[in-house]
Amino acid sequence: MTDLLTLYQIADVEHIEVDCFELNKRESLSLMDEEGHRYIAVDPNKLCSVLDEKMKIAHELGHCITNSFYNQRATFDIRQKHENRADKWAIRQLVPKSAFFRALGNGYTEICQLAEYFNVTEDFMRKAYCYYMHGNLAVEAYF
């Protein structure tokens, strides 16, 4: 179970610069420049909590570490493929598979219990649940 500080340490080790910027449409974003340097921008004025920051940083790190970037003209299916890759990386980082099944075995069966146990949002926990139990991120099919 990874905390926010550990996510920032991962960014540092991976040479991913994380900085605060005022963003027009998003709370956070990631990009890679022409030289292959990866960056994460976070708008602190749009974050609701430390937990919200943790979720955003984990997702953006997922983009950077898996090189799942796309441009504004990318088709929906290409965008979704890259978003799913970023989400899967974040899930494996914040809710490791073995810890997930161990928590289930210890009686944490409700999404709210699991989210609290792993210190993630309920929406994120639904994705993690679908990923580990059904092999996909199609939350709407199960919840």
Side-chain angles (χ1 to χ4, degrees):
M1 297 179 286
T2 305
D3 62 7
L4 182 58
L5 177 60
T6 303
L7 292 173
Y8 279 105
Q9 290 170 339
I10 290 169
D12 188 49
V13 166
E14 294 288 332
H15 307 289
I16 299 166
E17 187 173 330
V18 181
D19 212 340
C20 296
F21 287 97
E22 185 176 328
L23 301 172
N24 291 330
K25 297 180 181 180
R26 301 187 162 78
E27 296 89 13
S28 62
L29 60 85
S30 54
L31 59 93
M32 183 177 355
D33 68 15
E34 294 170 355
E35 288 84 37
H37 299 108
R38 299 162 297 171
Y39 304 91
I40 295 173
V42 178
D43 189 338
N45 297 318
K46 292 184 180 172
L47 297 175
C48 307
S49 64
V50 173
L51 182 59
D52 189 30
E53 181 179 4
K54 177 182 172 181
M55 299 291 93
K56 301 288 190 289
I57 295 295
H59 178 80
E60 299 306 341
L61 274 173
H63 280 291
C64 292
I65 291 175
T66 64
N67 290 319
S68 297
F69 300 103
Y70 55 87
N71 64 40
Q72 290 177 298
R73 294 178 298 282
T75 60
F76 175 79
D77 59 328
I78 296 298
R79 285 178 186 231
Q80 196 60 55
K81 177 180 176 182
H82 291 288
E83 291 298 331
N84 287 348
R85 242 190 242 157
D87 281 340
K88 288 175 183 178
W89 184 90
I91 288 167
R92 288 189 299 270
Q93 209 51 68
L94 301 179
V95 182
K97 187 176 186 176
S98 60
F100 172 77
F101 285 106
R102 194 168 37 255
L104 287 178
N106 289 332
Y108 294 90
T109 57
E110 300 295 323
I111 292 297
C112 60
Q113 293 173 320
L114 289 163
E116 185 176 337
Y117 179 79
F118 286 102
N119 192 30
V120 298
T121 63
E122 289 186 23
D123 286 340
F124 187 86
M125 195 67 240
R126 284 184 193 91
K127 283 184 184 181
Y129 183 92
C130 287
Y131 180 55
Y132 290 135
M133 299 301 286
H134 304 291
N136 61 55
L137 300 174
V139 172
E140 61 280 348
Y142 305 103
F143 292 96

